[in-house]
Amino acid sequence: MSTTAASTSGAAGSADSSPPRRNSKRPKYSKFTQQELPACKPILTPKWVISAFTLISVIFIPIGVASLLASRDVVEIVDRYETDCIPESLRGEKATKLAHIQDPLSNKTCQRNLTVPKHMKQPIFVYYQLDNFYQNHRRYVKSRNDEQLRKGREANTTSGCDPEDTTSDGSPIVPCGLIAWSLFNDTYNFTRNEQSLNVNKKDISWKSDRDRKFGDNVFPKNFQNGTLIGGGSLNPNISLSKQEDLIVWMRTAALPTFRKLYGKIEVDLEANDVITVVLQNNYNTYSFGGKKKLVLSTTSWLGGKNDFLGIAYLTVGSLCLFLAMAFFIVYLVKPRRLGDPSYLSWNRNPSGH
């Protein structure tokens, strides 16, 4: 009995004599976690700040001027036609417009005359522009099956394409989904001085899309065979990789106002030329208050017409120039010795109040 008690007391004594265990959450020391790695810590003297702002303005202002001049050199013709291409007697109510556009027997041919403001050098890009069309809607963007578009053996795969996945008898639709179903189907024919202007529709889509996203052994099947027709039809004898209007359309836009390439006119247009456009006003934008525009545009070394980039560079450059001048004037009028301890708060008010 005494032996057991002695051993117990000895064990307790040994436990008490061991150092206390430390529960610390402090991370293991390293120069990285303690921010002690070698680093460049520039001292922002007035001369450095003024020089930096001046350098930015010297670089940005010329870039902004060059960008604006390049944008101004782009010649662009924009023609909105969704209202003018409805018979005048049907333009009043939304219901009459819808009845006209949804009637397969109504005449949807429309003629427009465009005057070229100044010389347009080839290639002249033809775009269609849609306003208030939300291609970025989540359900719309997801309504497609990329495996079906790429591989011919996956023609029966329609997962994710609801509600345009199968026909009423259960046959798979190729290509399936709302994006393909709503394919833009207005057409344009151009003439100048009663001579036809050919529109080249080859290579209007991204090469990566043609090669990787749309298979050359995938052909349309059961497309637009339902009771409700969404947009354009496809040639069932041409593979999807060669149907570039579809490929362009299925690269969805991020904003509700967007342009998509229709084709290229590969001849120069002279100033004051009158271009006659005979178009088929097939696409229904009247149900959601959308707008349709035909755009003819040249390009510059910077791309299409875009004043924003030049204005942004000019704004930043001008602001930096203004700040550089303001700091320079302050530095001249009221200079301040670097590291002067008299500017410290406790030296300004020694009493501490």
Side-chain angles (χ1 to χ4, degrees):
M1 185 73 177
S2 60
T3 306
T4 305
S7 61
T8 303
S9 62
S14 63
D16 293 337
S17 62
S18 62
R21 187 173 181 180
R22 186 176 180 184
N23 295 323
S24 174
K25 294 183 179 179
R26 186 173 68 178
K28 184 180 178 182
Y29 172 81
S30 71
K31 289 187 176 182
F32 177 77
T33 58
Q34 298 303 316
Q35 299 184 13
E36 295 177 357
L37 292 174
C40 179
K41 300 176 181 178
I43 299 175
L44 297 178
T45 63
K47 292 181 180 179
W48 270 106
V49 173
I50 293 170
S51 300
F53 278 129
T54 304
L55 179 63
I56 294 173
S57 64
V58 168
I59 295 174
F60 275 45
I61 290 177
I63 293 177
V65 172
S67 301
L68 267 182
L69 292 176
S71 179
R72 299 294 166 85
D73 286 340
V74 174
V75 185
E76 191 174 88
I77 304 172
V78 181
D79 180 51
R80 178 181 170 184
Y81 64 88
E82 87 281 346
T83 300
D84 294 340
C85 286
I86 292 287
E88 199 166 341
S89 59
L90 304 176
R91 293 178 188 174
E93 298 293 331
K94 176 181 175 180
T96 56
K97 295 178 183 178
L98 282 174
H100 171 75
I101 203 70
Q102 292 175 349
D103 183 2
L105 301 179
S106 63
N107 182 17
K108 300 181 180 65
T109 303
C110 180
Q111 181 172 310
R112 310 287 291 169
N113 293 322
L114 310 177
T115 302
V116 179
K118 59 181 181 179
H119 178 75
M120 299 180 72
K121 187 177 180 181
Q122 65 164 317
I124 300 164
F125 295 91
V126 181
Y127 300 92
Y128 56 88
Q129 177 176 321
L130 296 179
D131 294 8
N132 200 35
F133 191 111
Y134 288 82
Q135 271 199 320
N136 60 349
H137 191 283
R138 183 180 64 86
R139 288 193 64 189
Y140 184 88
V141 170
K142 292 177 64 178
S143 186
R144 61 188 291 167
N145 189 290
D146 291 322
E147 289 294 315
Q148 185 200 62
L149 297 174
R150 275 197 305 265
K151 303 172 184 177
R153 64 177 181 272
E154 300 290 342
N156 294 330
T157 304
T158 59
S159 59
C161 291
D162 186 70
E164 291 297 321
D165 50 355
T166 60
T167 60
S168 57
D169 61 358
S171 301
I173 298 174
V174 182
C176 65
L178 288 174
I179 306 177
W181 175 79
S182 59
L183 174 64
F184 186 81
N185 62 338
D186 283 7
T187 59
Y188 311 104
N189 291 296
F190 301 87
T191 57
R192 177 183 59 175
N193 299 329
E194 299 183 354
Q195 292 183 346
S196 177
L197 290 175
N198 183 49
V199 178
N200 183 7
K201 298 176 73 69
K202 184 175 175 58
D203 295 336
I204 61 173
S205 61
W206 289 21
K207 186 176 185 300
S208 59
D209 287 354
R210 297 194 301 269
D211 295 344
R212 300 176 185 176
K213 293 187 176 182
F214 295 83
D216 55 5
N217 60 343
V218 183
F219 294 86
K221 184 171 63 174
N222 300 318
F223 188 69
Q224 301 290 19
N225 285 349
T227 55
L228 185 61
I229 305 300
S233 58
L234 298 173
N235 190 332
N237 299 317
I238 301 177
S239 66
L240 296 186
S241 63
K242 294 181 174 61
Q243 307 222 29
E244 297 200 47
D245 285 328
L246 173 72
I247 298 174
V248 170
W249 178 256
M250 293 197 69
R251 177 165 281 278
T252 53
L255 299 175
T257 297
F258 58 86
R259 293 178 180 179
K260 291 185 181 289
L261 187 59
Y262 181 82
K264 293 174 284 187
I265 297 175
E266 297 178 327
V267 295
D268 290 358
L269 298 179
E270 303 300 330
N272 299 319
D273 278 352
V274 177
I275 309 299
T276 301
V277 185
V278 178
L279 62 89
Q280 294 294 321
N281 183 33
N282 298 316
Y283 201 70
N284 179 14
T285 58
Y286 308 99
S287 58
F288 55 88
K291 302 174 184 176
K292 294 191 287 188
K293 297 175 183 177
L294 172 64
V295 181
L296 275 66
S297 177
T298 59
T299 57
S300 67
W301 59 271
L302 198 60
K305 192 174 188 66
N306 182 10
D307 290 343
F308 173 78
L309 191 61
I311 293 173
Y313 272 106
L314 280 176
T315 302
V316 174
S318 301
L319 180 62
C320 289
L321 181 61
F322 171 77
L323 292 174
M325 294 176 64
F327 288 153
F328 180 71
I329 293 171
V330 170
Y331 182 64
L332 286 181
V333 173
K334 194 176 181 181
R336 171 178 167 178
R337 185 166 62 89
L338 188 66
D340 189 351
S342 64
Y343 285 95
L344 296 173
S345 61
W346 52 84
N347 289 333
R348 286 186 176 184
N349 189 5
S351 62
H353 297 290

